[in-house]
Amino acid sequence: MDTQILSADAAGIKTACDWLAQGMPVAVPTETVYGLAADARNSKAVARIYEAKGRPSFNPLIVHLPDLAEVEKIATLGPQARALAEAFWPGPLTMVLPLRAQSGIASITTAGLDTVGIRVPSHAGMQRLMRAFGGPLAAPSANPSGRVSATSAQHVADIASGLGGRIPAVLDDGASPVGVESTIIGWSDDGQPALLRPGGLPAEAIEALLGVRLLHPESNHDAPTSPGQLLSHYAPSVGLRMEVRDPAPHETYLAFGPSDHPHALNLSESGDLTEAAAQLFDLLRRADLLGRAIAVAPIPETGLGAAINDRLRRAAAPR
Ligand code: TXA
Ligand code: MG
């Protein structure tokens, strides 16, 4: 099938809605990364997401909704979840919440769990699409399983490294401004908030709002709480090592701050973590295409640095 690139105007959104209503997945822009969306109530449509991505079927998907009123039809929010929703939605935060009975969400969407990961994206084009479609959209990141996430419609439509030829359309609304996936928060059985995946919303901001420290179950990689958190998830095809101050001349150097290495791709010349996050997947992809081993400069573990390092550790993990 040919993958059509749609502009995010009224006609493009109409075409995207038509594909979604027919049970086909469509790639969509969000502020974090591009998503591969399908009607979360339609199990066949959701299965086509897994198929297009080649994704292991036990992995639950995030459901995207335009506002809190729509979220409350599908999931229940405790006091902490409500406070986080009011402070950080719309935006790069996903919360794993108890699923309501009669929510209408297909069980393939949640991989059979009685919880659902929900996000209210702020992206203007995605907001227009969600309101035009009028139903919950399940959407993982729009990349083949195990490959780096896509932050532009061109990444998505690429035949070799993306989903080109496997999906009918991509709604193109420019580069994703945040550039890493959403931060995922869940609650333990005894009600403690936990960081399931670092991402575009710094964990420090969540801890400051709640006034508590988050549990960090994701550091136990043998028993992932969030099933997508397998170590080698974000994988370029060449080797990658981290915390490198003196890269070898034959390596591609992913620099952070000034560098005069002959093969430097710079995440941020000025050492800005937000800029580095927004560039990360694009530069990983470019480095991968160069075919040389990748050495990455030390990145501070604060703010968006935690999400960047998490992605890099997965890219560096042996497989
Ligand atoms: O920024 C984002 O979050 C992007 C955009 C498209 O919204 N989406 C995204 O989705 O990164 P995905 O599928 O690549 O990652 C979703 C993660 C997976 O690791 C999955 O296991 C976890 O969320 N997840 C979803 N629902 C869950 C649930 N009910 N319980 C535990 N983990 C869940
Ligand atoms: Mg993903």
Side-chain angles (χ1 to χ4, degrees):
M1 103 181 44
D2 280 342
T3 300
Q4 199 186 356
I5 297 195
L6 306 170
S7 48
D9 54 15
I13 285 178
K14 165 90 170 61
T15 304
C17 283
D18 289 346
W19 283 119
L20 291 168
Q22 289 172 47
M24 292 301 287
V26 172
V28 297
T30 87
E31 69 275 25
T32 56
V33 297
Y34 272 66
L36 182 59
D39 185 340
R41 302 162 297 190
N42 178 339
S43 54
K44 267 200 188 137
V46 174
R48 292 191 180 107
I49 294 178
Y50 288 94
E51 192 183 3
K53 280 183 63 96
R55 176 174 217 178
S57 59
F58 50 75
N59 228 352
L61 306 180
I62 295 173
V63 172
H64 298 71
L65 290 162
D67 55 42
L68 183 55
E70 292 300 315
V71 173
E72 294 195 276
K73 295 177 187 169
I74 285 169
T76 53
L77 290 86
Q80 289 186 330
R82 191 167 299 278
L84 291 173
E86 279 161 10
F88 299 121
W89 276 348
L93 170 69
T94 294
M95 293 196 275
V96 174
L97 300 168
L99 190 62
R100 277 188 197 281
Q102 317 297 325
S103 67
I105 299 295
S107 65
I108 188 174
T109 300
T110 59
L113 300 175
D114 54 8
T115 54
V116 58
I118 298 194
R119 183 158 104 77
V120 175
S122 61
H123 191 277
M126 180 62 169
Q127 276 282 340
R128 282 200 300 280
L129 177 71
M130 290 185 296
R131 289 181 196 282
F133 182 63
L137 291 175
S141 51
N143 51 281
S145 188
R147 304 297 295 268
V148 296
S149 300
T151 51
S152 73
Q154 286 68 36
H155 291 165
V156 178
D158 193 280
I159 304 275
S161 64
L163 299 171
R166 299 201 229 166
I167 57 173
V170 185
L171 190 63
D172 181 2
D173 205 3
S176 300
V178 176
V180 290
E181 292 90 340
S182 59
T183 301
I184 306 183
I185 298 294
W187 280 265
S188 65
D189 291 341
D190 60 351
Q192 309 244 59
L195 182 66
L196 301 182
R197 177 177 76 183
L201 177 66
E204 294 92 325
I206 295 168
E207 292 181 334
L209 186 95
L210 296 180
V212 295
R213 295 301 302 272
L214 295 169
L215 302 177
H216 282 65
E218 100 286 0
S219 58
N220 180 0
H221 294 292
D222 293 335
T225 304
S226 189
Q229 303 309 292
L230 304 172
L231 253 182
S232 70
H233 191 61
Y234 296 88
S237 56
V238 297
L240 181 149
R241 60 194 190 106
M242 295 175 65
E243 305 282 338
V244 180
R245 287 178 203 280
D246 294 306
H250 67 269
E251 289 178 308
T252 296
Y253 191 41
L254 277 196
F256 181 74
S259 169
D260 52 14
H261 186 276
H263 308 300
L265 296 175
N266 213 315
L267 289 163
S268 170
E269 301 249 5
S270 63
D272 180 283
L273 286 168
T274 306
E275 183 185 24
Q279 297 254 75
L280 178 65
F281 288 120
D282 200 41
L283 292 191
L284 271 178
R285 196 176 292 267
R286 277 167 55 193
D288 202 359
L289 289 176
L290 293 174
R292 285 186 284 265
I294 304 171
V296 189
I299 312 280
E301 190 65 33
T302 52
L304 286 182
I308 295 170
N309 284 322
D310 175 74
R311 301 304 181 276
L312 289 170
R313 275 191 291 274
R314 290 170 204 285
R319 50 187 177 275

